[in-house]
Amino acid sequence: LGFGVAIALLLAMTLVPIFFSVMPAPNVREQSGNPSFGGRLIDSVSGACAHLATQHPIFTSVLFVAITAVSFVGISKIHIETNMQERLRDDNHIRVAQEFIEDNFTGTNLLDLYIRGPEGGIVTPEILNKLSDFQEELLTRDGVGDAYSLVNLVEILHRELADDPDSMLPQRRDTIAQYLLLFEMSGGEGLFRLLDDARSTLHLTVRLTRNDLVNTNQLGASIRDDLSAKLGDGYEVEVTGLTYLFGGWIDFIMEGQKRGFLFAFLSTTIMMFVCLRSWRATIVSMIPNALPLVTMGGVLGFMWDKVDSDTMMVAMIAIGIAVDDTIHFLTRFRMECERQMTLDDAISQTFAHTGRGIVKTTIILCLGMAPFNLSDYLSTRMMGSLLPLTLFVALIADLLLIPALAKLGLFRISRTRVFSRQAS
């Protein structure tokens, strides 16, 4: 993506001037005197924003503070979760098949727990009874559909071979060994999936009813800790499974995305300083760049029960795109501050020269991303919904918040003339 942007910049600085040099010069007066309906509408919106920001700067600033406060409340409600199945639309054939299995069977999400103990000491009446009780407890947990292990096989053999209706499991170690030997000699297969040859590792499978990655990881860790406590010292429990491992990697992925977002934000801040040549102006200018991301977080917290981990990727892309309009607006504002005698004149000329341009670019970007909403995949759909949302909020912040902060004296450009005759 970065390489593509660099190529686009190179073409814009080379081929575009060549094309302009061979094209007929447009009649600027005629176009400015008789703009199209779209141009008049954009000018009206831009003029209304300029009027509101300059005539009511306190109201405008308080409004954005309120939006930010509400957004932080929404951010506090965000719950990060990833479900690969739910990334697909409801009518997608893969999701339909998964939901059919979950509704009619016990699900497809498995947790595999391996219990290690002393060699030959894992298959004892004491351990099997503890494991049997634990499996019964598991079935009462929310999200657990079934649990099975060597215990189930031994129970079946004991029920068929022993005349002991009062006991579900044999109470003698040699009886268990005879059952397993008889099972293997009579053609029984698959014992290696439940017990290793050294009789030191036992396999417990837990079938879950949900496919949420983070929830699976947390549930697997809880089951591991409870089983370890039940078995006592001398026994080690390890949990694995594809969904469980992915759930554990979500935190690692999120940490990487957070570092990437921080890098993008700091890089953007440095570029703003290069353009504005003032740290104070740079820091204040990053407010309209951070506000869209905060607003997006608030919307997600209020409207989504759980937020997919790929959302952070959208935020990183959003800040890189949204900052374009801010740079255009503030660069022009700095130029006008050096030319005009009053702050109001500088703001007015900035809107006249840049307001229409940044509104048009935002509209073009939003329309260009809209087709992503047709995708079956959630992460792609977010590019067509969340990105336009952040771009729109960034545009509003550029057109309203920056002029309001300038009127309140919070935003200043270092290389300016004295605004001693500011209009009230």
Side-chain angles (χ1 to χ4, degrees):
L1 183 61
F3 178 76
V5 172
I7 294 298
L9 175 63
L10 178 63
L11 294 177
M13 299 179 66
T14 54
L15 291 183
V16 173
I18 294 174
F19 290 149
F20 283 169
S21 65
V22 299
M23 292 172 57
N27 191 333
V28 179
R29 290 186 177 181
E30 180 179 346
Q31 292 185 4
S32 62
N34 187 25
S36 62
F37 172 77
R40 292 195 300 270
L41 180 61
I42 292 175
D43 289 343
S44 299
V45 173
S46 179
C49 291
H51 176 79
L52 178 62
T54 56
Q55 299 303 316
H56 307 281
I58 296 179
F59 170 78
T60 303
S61 301
V62 171
L63 177 63
F64 278 97
V65 170
I67 294 175
T68 303
V70 174
S71 297
F72 274 113
V73 174
I75 291 175
S76 66
K77 301 177 180 292
I78 287 181
H79 170 61
I80 301 295
E81 181 59 273
T82 298
N83 187 317
M84 303 303 294
Q85 170 186 322
E86 293 181 358
R87 285 184 174 184
L88 304 173
R89 291 190 183 274
D90 294 338
D91 58 349
N92 185 277
H93 65 281
I94 297 177
R95 183 166 181 177
V96 171
Q98 288 278 2
E99 290 177 349
F100 173 81
I101 294 174
E102 291 176 3
D103 293 339
N104 295 276
F105 300 95
T106 55
T108 59
N109 187 13
L110 299 179
L111 277 177
D112 296 306
L113 290 95
Y114 293 92
I115 307 164
R116 293 187 177 90
E119 185 174 348
I122 195 73
V123 187
T124 64
E126 180 185 5
I127 294 299
L128 293 186
N129 277 284
K130 287 183 177 181
L131 190 56
S132 178
D133 294 339
F134 186 75
Q135 288 183 207
E136 292 295 328
E137 295 173 7
L138 282 180
L139 298 180
T140 64
R141 293 198 182 191
D142 182 38
V144 176
D146 197 6
Y148 46 89
S149 67
L150 181 67
V151 169
N152 301 86
L153 173 62
V154 175
E155 286 179 348
I156 294 174
L157 295 174
H158 187 64
R159 184 171 59 248
E160 297 295 332
L161 299 176
D163 186 17
D164 188 7
D166 297 331
S167 175
M168 295 292 295
L169 290 167
Q171 300 305 311
R172 295 180 55 183
R173 186 169 181 171
D174 58 343
T175 304
I176 299 175
Q178 292 174 8
Y179 283 168
L180 297 180
L181 178 62
L182 181 62
F183 177 76
E184 290 181 300
M185 293 179 61
S186 61
E189 298 179 356
L191 184 61
F192 67 92
R193 295 188 178 93
L194 304 175
L195 184 68
D196 70 335
D197 294 335
R199 302 298 194 261
S200 62
T201 303
L202 193 149
H203 181 199
L204 168 63
T205 300
V206 181
R207 191 179 296 273
L208 306 181
T209 58
R210 296 196 300 264
N211 295 310
D212 296 339
L213 300 185
V214 176
N215 180 73
T216 297
N217 182 265
Q218 295 173 347
L219 182 58
S222 175
I223 293 175
R224 177 197 60 205
D225 295 341
D226 293 344
L227 182 56
S228 297
K230 190 174 188 65
L231 295 177
D233 297 335
Y235 295 91
E236 178 186 353
V237 180
E238 180 181 353
V239 58
T240 185
L242 190 59
T243 306
Y244 170 81
L245 295 176
F246 272 123
W249 293 335
I250 293 297
D251 290 338
F252 174 76
I253 293 172
M254 290 299 297
E255 287 300 320
Q257 290 181 336
K258 290 177 182 177
R259 290 193 297 269
F261 173 77
L262 180 61
F263 175 79
F265 193 84
L266 292 178
S267 301
T268 303
T269 303
I270 294 174
M271 290 304 300
M272 294 298 296
F273 174 75
V274 172
C275 295
L276 301 178
R277 306 174 191 175
S278 168
W279 279 115
R280 177 177 179 177
T282 299
I283 294 174
V284 176
S285 70
M286 291 306 296
I287 295 177
N289 293 321
L291 183 63
L293 306 181
V294 174
T295 304
M296 181 183 72
V299 171
L300 294 177
F302 282 117
M303 300 190 66
W304 290 18
D305 294 332
K306 50 189 177 182
V307 177
D308 194 272
S309 56
D310 278 0
T311 307
M312 186 65 72
M313 176 186 65
V314 178
M316 286 189 287
I317 298 175
I319 190 174
I321 299 177
V323 73
D324 286 352
D325 289 346
T326 305
I327 291 177
H328 286 309
F329 191 88
L330 291 179
T331 301
R332 188 71 194 193
F333 180 60
R334 180 166 88 65
M335 294 172 58
E336 296 300 334
C337 285
E338 296 176 347
R339 296 174 180 176
Q340 308 300 324
M341 293 300 298
T342 67
L343 179 60
D344 283 350
D345 290 339
I347 294 175
S348 176
Q349 290 299 313
T350 301
F351 272 91
H353 291 282
T354 309
R356 181 188 293 185
I358 63 176
V359 171
K360 284 184 176 180
T361 55
T362 301
I363 294 174
I364 292 172
L365 286 172
C366 292
L367 292 177
M369 295 172 184
F372 286 128
N373 283 297
L374 302 177
S375 174
D376 271 359
Y377 196 60
L378 173 64
S379 299
T380 306
R381 290 202 304 274
M382 287 192 297
M383 307 290 263
S385 57
L386 298 182
L387 270 181
L389 170 65
T390 55
L391 294 180
F392 176 76
V393 176
L395 175 65
I396 297 301
D398 288 335
L399 296 180
L400 288 176
L401 187 57
I402 292 179
L405 295 177
K407 285 290 293 184
L408 293 175
L410 299 177
F411 184 88
R412 296 177 182 176
I413 303 296
S414 58
R415 295 179 59 189
T416 62
R417 295 185 178 183
V418 179
F419 294 121
S420 60
R421 295 177 292 173
Q422 293 183 3
S424 60

